[in-house]
Amino acid sequence: MKLLSRKAMCNSHGQDSSYFLGWQEYEKNPYDEVKNPKGIIQMGLAENQLSFDLLESWLAKNPDAAGFKRDGQSIFRELALFQDYHGLPAFKKALVDFMSEIRGNKVTFDPSNIVLTAGATSANESLVFCLAEPGEAFLLPTPYYPGFDRDLKWRTGVQIVPIQCTSSNGFQITEKALEEAYQLAQKRNLKVKGVLVTNPSNPLGTTMSLNELNLLVNFISSKNIHLISDEIYSGTVFSSPGFISIMEILKERKLDDTEVWRRVHIVYSLSKDLGLPGFRVGAIYSNDDMVVAAATKMSSFGLVSSQTQYLLSAMLSDKKFTKNYISENQKRLKQRQKRLVSGLEKAGISCLKSNAGLFCWVDMRHLLSSNTFEAEMELWKKVIYDVKLNISPGSSCRCTEPGWFRVCFANMSEETLKLSMQRLKVFVDSTTKTNHSRRKSLTKWVFWLSFHDCEIVNGER
Amino acid sequence: MAVLSKIATNDRHGENSPYFDGWKAFDRNPFHLTRNPEGVIQMGLAENQLCFDLIMDWIRKNPCASICTAQGVDWFKDIANFQDYHGLPQFRQAVAKFMGRVRGGRITFDPERIVMGGGATGANEQIIFCLADPGDAFLVPSPYYPGFDRDLGWRTGVEIVPVHCNSSTKFRITRAALEEAYEKARQDNINIKGLLITNPSNPLGITLDTDTLKSLVNFINEKNIHLVCDEIYAATLFSSPKFISIAEVIQEMDCNRDLIHIVYSLSKDMGFPGFRVGIVYSYNDAVVSCSRKLSSFGLVSSQTQFLLASMLSDDDFVDKFLTESSNRLAKRYNTFTERLEQVRINCLTGNAGLFFWMDLRHLLQHQTFEAEMKLWHTIVHDVKLNVSPGSSFHCQEPGWFRVCFANMDDETVEIALKRIEAFVLQGKEIENTTTKKRLLPNLRLSFKSRICEQGVLSPHVMSPHSPIPQSPLVRART
């Protein structure tokens, strides 16, 4: 008898994907300004490290939250015992207010409709468990966050069918693409239960347009299916056009309290906006009481630590702090994105015009030896092993066009970003020279590269 | 088209079980020493509230264990950013060391095998996802923790096949019972993937002896199935015999270690259910690897990992804590059992856990589960104690109840005991004046009317993770 489960033996956790392999390479040879200046610079990690000083200064002014105290009295015992899956009321209130604030207070959220989960990872999985049976499907626009293959499919047994988006229109979702995806699912005998979008988009770094949002509402209405809007990057929108939440659209179209209203669910987290991925704070927001009830019970498998709920309830209830944080954080992201974009430009590389997120969607198609994914992999390996930058190849995000890469900019210092751009420029300049020689040389180079790979893999930090 | 999934709409989360009826009664009328002295006393919650003073003292003396204090804030950025599912190395090391200490230093645990889970709830689900496919089954000795129905089966699609243990063998798991359950499953075409035990046992409050443990290891080895040992109550040992972990037993046995897995948590031993610290420890490398990937769905907050890494590495504190906790649990257990004995209520002789397994068979009108439920409702609504009926633990014999004793202060203990004594003595008075042995007629009447009023037997939504109404946190306003 097989010792382990099928889930344990399969690859659905997705960790064999190139997305994670780049991380592994980085782990073996990580850049450090002082200790390892020739190491690999991590640009594959969508972390927000730009605004910790704001959090730290808040902590300095608020010792009670730090010390398990309220009004000077210790509440350690109550917190240590608090395992109610309904969550700390004060925290849920503060969280929904924060979500509203990010949306310019154009929508309000009801704390009793929010479910706390251990990160967005858990939120997405639990929602899919609630909405679909094993073997059913969700439609996702490509390119999408590689982790979705694990989060939405692995334990749930649900399938993902891609909605193909292309560079011809800035990777926007079209009605045609939606219909084609739906038909594809039908052909594969997969019952479609819903659409999941990330807005702002990972990896594109763009907010969804009014048109796309309306298309989605029309589509889910006509097909009688769900819509999950993962708005984990909603607080990272740093320039126009602004962020429009799906809730706003529903409100504007006077769809409150309708069937459609109840089929729209939002996923949120503090991992990106506040830069706190370690704290595992995720949330599901739904207008459907049954979804809220089921997801609440499921959250037993991944509740947010009460210690963390308490700290963040104090922090997010401080409206002065949140106002300042949201705007300052956006300013810094904007500035940093500009630096990346101009650095890329100097290397003759353009990217999709973006207004959000912690990364840019970079166009390196002109550097491919051929318009294929093999060539994309070749290029990616060069960037990892020679240029020593860990960036994420578009294929790992299921992009249908080779040559696009996601490059993160908010998880390093300015100097490191500058250095990464310098390395890239050097590489591009040398590549341009090399491309002028014959195909034979390129083949030799690829061969040399794969030999070189082994050396790096076996090397120590 | 069906809007929600079967998982979302079925009953396998188990929250419609009558187990939660008592919680509802408590929730509506919670006891408070001064504000509501006639309220229902919560004795259905297996929490360890006896040693918070020690912990709080440690926290006051160790401000650098927090990433939010002036002393610890330099760590804030790195810790807040740390989402590596391997967990903080210092956290894993501290947990491994703590687990070893709890077992008297007789075992060393490898920090590299420590994998996180969202509390033991998450950890148990996680290990089942690794070991079994939908439709497979795990043997679980009954009586067992009601939450297992949800944790092992709800989203995994795995079934539980109970292994019946009864009072004739002091609820020990016998080889015969295992074989019977296994054989029956085989005949029913159910694929048994493993055996899951809780040691020390919930709800029995006893540790398993070496012979039983060896016999379990032999059993699973022969059948080539897994053994998952939920050792969540390991440090709640308060008297002899000592706690023997499966980790110790396999050291002296020839067995396939790839089949051996331990689940742990700090919710009971330390009294930290709110911090959601679950641990999966496996001797099987592939399971460690898979489980670690699965832990993405329920990692421990890095803020909490950091705090606990510091606390559990403090050897002096840990030693003091374990000794003192054990003493306090012993005292509490003895207080209850001695007083209950005086009113002829016996319990299974226990040596661990946060509860005792009380024998009320002699108070049942008939040896049936209906009678047990009747008695239970009387205890909840008239004696005003929320205890847990054995049937909610899938016990095969009516009349047993689990009573928690570590989640209240001394004054409340006294009141609870007085109520029980009053109830039993009243029952005896009536017995003396009637020809038939029966329950208090007055109470039964009022109990009956309650059923009609409150629809007590109707399904509702409560949870083992339910709120503690007197907690200021629930009533908190921003």
Side-chain angles (χ1 to χ4, degrees), chain B residues 200-339:
Chain B
S201 160
N202 174 13
L204 303 175
I206 57 173
T207 53
L208 271 58
D209 58 273
T210 312
D211 286 341
T212 304
L213 286 165
K214 283 191 169 157
S215 131
L216 297 181
V217 174
N218 285 330
F219 176 76
I220 58 110
N221 222 23
E222 277 162 39
K223 308 283 192 242
N224 197 33
I225 60 176
H226 293 279
L227 178 59
V228 177
C229 301
D230 186 339
E231 298 190 345
I232 193 178
Y233 290 98
T236 64
L237 185 80
F238 53 77
S239 91
S240 61
K242 68 175 197 247
F243 168 61
I244 303 164
S245 164
I246 197 69
E248 277 181 74
V249 167
I250 59 171
Q251 276 186 330
E252 307 153 17
M253 289 183 78
D254 199 6
C255 79
N256 179 2
R257 292 206 173 187
D258 276 349
L259 300 173
I260 310 290
H261 324 276
I262 295 176
V263 164
Y264 186 56
S265 163
L266 298 179
S267 300
K268 310 296 179 182
D269 290 350
M270 299 296 294
F272 293 159
F275 293 172
R276 314 314 301 149
V277 182
I279 302 289
V280 173
Y281 188 95
S282 175
Y283 290 91
N284 180 324
D285 292 346
V287 172
V288 171
S289 171
C290 173
S291 191
R292 191 177 282 134
K293 294 182 179 83
L294 286 173
S295 69
S296 293
F297 297 108
L299 297 173
V300 177
S301 168
S302 54
Q303 178 193 18
T304 302
Q305 290 185 52
F306 188 78
L307 171 71
L308 297 175
S310 187
M311 191 186 289
L312 300 182
S313 309
D314 185 338
D315 293 343
D316 286 339
F317 166 75
V318 166
D319 283 343
K320 185 174 168 208
F321 179 89
L322 292 176
T323 312
E324 193 54 33
S325 175
S326 181
N327 289 341
R328 294 180 190 184
L329 286 168
K331 187 161 173 243
R332 211 26 105 70
Y333 173 83
N334 291 332
T335 303
F336 267 100
T337 50
E338 279 159 20
R339 290 274 289 272

Side-chain angles (χ1 to χ4, degrees), chain A residues 1-291:
Chain A
M1 161 167 65
K2 269 197 337 250
L3 209 54
L4 301 190
S5 67
R6 284 191 290 269
K7 289 184 176 71
M9 310 292 284
C10 70
N11 266 341
S12 295
H13 52 72
Q15 248 168 255
D16 298 336
S17 112
S18 49
Y19 181 66
F20 296 104
L21 289 173
W23 286 41
Q24 283 165 26
E25 288 312 310
Y26 163 78
E27 289 295 320
K28 290 177 200 151
N29 183 22
Y31 169 81
D32 181 286
E33 207 175 338
V34 171
K35 287 183 277 200
N36 190 18
K38 297 221 167 73
I40 298 179
I41 297 176
Q42 176 64 282
M43 303 190 88
L45 198 47
E47 277 177 357
N48 183 357
Q49 296 191 22
L50 304 189
S51 304
F52 279 120
D53 58 313
L54 301 177
L55 300 173
E56 285 157 2
S57 113
W58 184 90
L59 289 172
K61 298 186 195 129
N62 292 271
D64 260 13
F68 293 107
K69 290 203 189 107
R70 179 193 282 131
D71 302 328
Q73 297 289 359
S74 173
I75 55 165
F76 179 84
R77 185 177 160 276
E78 286 83 352
L79 282 173
L81 292 172
F82 188 82
Q83 58 171 328
D84 178 11
Y85 61 20
H86 292 98
L88 213 57
F91 176 52
K92 288 205 299 185
K93 179 84 177 60
L95 184 61
V96 301
D97 286 349
F98 185 66
M99 286 169 70
S100 269
E101 201 176 344
I102 286 174
R103 289 153 183 74
N105 291 311
K106 290 187 218 133
V107 280
T108 51
F109 296 94
D110 183 349
S112 59
N113 286 5
I114 203 159
V115 180
L116 301 174
T117 62
T121 299
S122 176
N124 278 313
E125 191 199 40
S126 287
L127 251 188
V128 172
F129 262 124
C130 286
L131 303 179
E133 306 297 342
E136 292 180 341
F138 262 78
L139 307 180
L140 263 68
T142 62
Y144 62 73
Y145 163 56
F148 281 150
D149 287 324
R150 172 197 60 194
D151 301 350
L152 311 183
K153 292 169 48 176
W154 190 14
R155 303 194 299 185
T156 62
V158 166
Q159 299 296 322
I160 293 178
V161 174
I163 301 165
Q164 316 283 22
C165 300
T166 68
S167 58
S168 62
N169 69 342
F171 295 92
Q172 295 208 356
I173 301 172
T174 63
E175 195 172 346
K176 180 163 177 275
L178 280 167
E179 281 300 336
E180 276 174 9
Y182 193 84
Q183 295 310 321
L184 179 60
Q186 306 266 292
K187 238 198 257 178
R188 285 163 61 181
N189 263 324
L190 297 171
K191 190 189 220 175
V192 176
K193 281 320 266 292
V195 179
L196 187 148
V197 299
T198 310
N199 178 28
S201 162
N202 174 12
L204 303 174
T206 53
T207 50
M208 273 197 168
S209 64
L210 201 52
N211 184 48
E212 285 172 288
L213 290 165
N214 276 309
L215 266 179
L216 284 171
V217 172
N218 296 342
F219 185 73
I220 65 155
S221 281
S222 72
K223 304 289 193 231
N224 201 26
I225 59 179
H226 295 274
L227 175 62
I228 300 175
S229 180
D230 184 340
E231 300 188 349
I232 193 179
Y233 290 99
S234 47
T236 66
V237 180
F238 50 77
S239 73
S240 65
F243 173 61
I244 309 170
S245 168
I246 190 71
M247 288 301 178
E248 276 181 66
I249 300 295
L250 292 171
K251 203 170 154 199
E252 260 172 45
R253 288 172 61 159
K254 300 213 174 8
L255 291 168
D256 317 37
D257 272 329
T258 59
E259 265 296 308
V260 176
W261 172 259
R262 277 184 283 282
R263 289 203 307 273
V264 173
H265 323 280
I266 290 180
V267 165
Y268 187 54
S269 161
L270 298 179
S271 300
K272 310 295 180 182
D273 292 349
L274 285 186
L276 305 173
F279 288 1
R280 315 315 300 146
V281 181
I284 295 168
Y285 188 90
S286 177
N287 296 311
D288 183 327
D289 290 342
M290 279 180 69
V291 172

Side-chain angles (χ1 to χ4, degrees), chain A residues 250-405:
Chain A
L250 292 171
K251 203 170 154 199
E252 260 172 45
R253 288 172 61 159
K254 300 213 174 8
L255 291 168
D256 317 37
D257 272 329
T258 59
E259 265 296 308
V260 176
W261 172 259
R262 277 184 283 282
R263 289 203 307 273
V264 173
H265 323 280
I266 290 180
V267 165
Y268 187 54
S269 161
L270 298 179
S271 300
K272 310 295 180 182
D273 292 349
L274 285 186
L276 305 173
F279 288 1
R280 315 315 300 146
V281 181
I284 295 168
Y285 188 90
S286 177
N287 296 311
D288 183 327
D289 290 342
M290 279 180 69
V291 172
V292 172
T296 301
K297 293 182 181 75
M298 266 189 212
S299 67
S300 294
F301 299 110
L303 297 173
V304 179
S305 169
S306 56
Q307 176 192 22
T308 301
Q309 289 190 53
Y310 182 64
L311 171 70
L312 295 174
S313 77
M315 192 184 281
L316 296 183
S317 304
D318 184 343
K319 303 287 193 232
K320 201 162 159 224
F321 166 78
T322 56
K323 186 161 179 231
N324 179 53
Y325 182 93
I326 291 172
S327 79
E328 185 58 32
N329 181 45
Q330 285 166 0
K331 268 197 207 116
R332 296 180 188 187
L333 288 169
K334 183 175 185 174
Q335 196 198 43
R336 195 51 84 79
Q337 185 254 23
K338 251 192 181 155
R339 293 243 195 290
L340 175 65
V341 171
S342 73
L344 290 169
E345 260 169 21
K346 290 197 185 96
I349 298 175
S350 66
C351 50
L352 185 70
K353 188 162 189 296
S354 68
N355 65 329
L358 309 173
F359 32 74
C360 282
W361 189 234
V362 177
D363 185 355
M364 292 169 73
R365 289 176 292 176
H366 59 296
L367 297 174
L368 293 182
S369 60
S370 62
N371 186 26
T372 62
F373 286 111
E374 290 73 28
E376 180 182 281
M377 276 296 114
E378 258 178 55
L379 177 58
W380 177 60
K381 284 185 178 163
K382 278 184 220 171
V383 174
I384 298 243
Y385 297 126
D386 291 341
V387 193
K388 304 243 182 59
L389 303 177
N390 178 32
I391 61 179
S392 311
S395 50
S396 69
C397 302
R398 312 285 180 179
C399 185
T400 48
E401 297 173 35
W404 291 88
F405 290 79

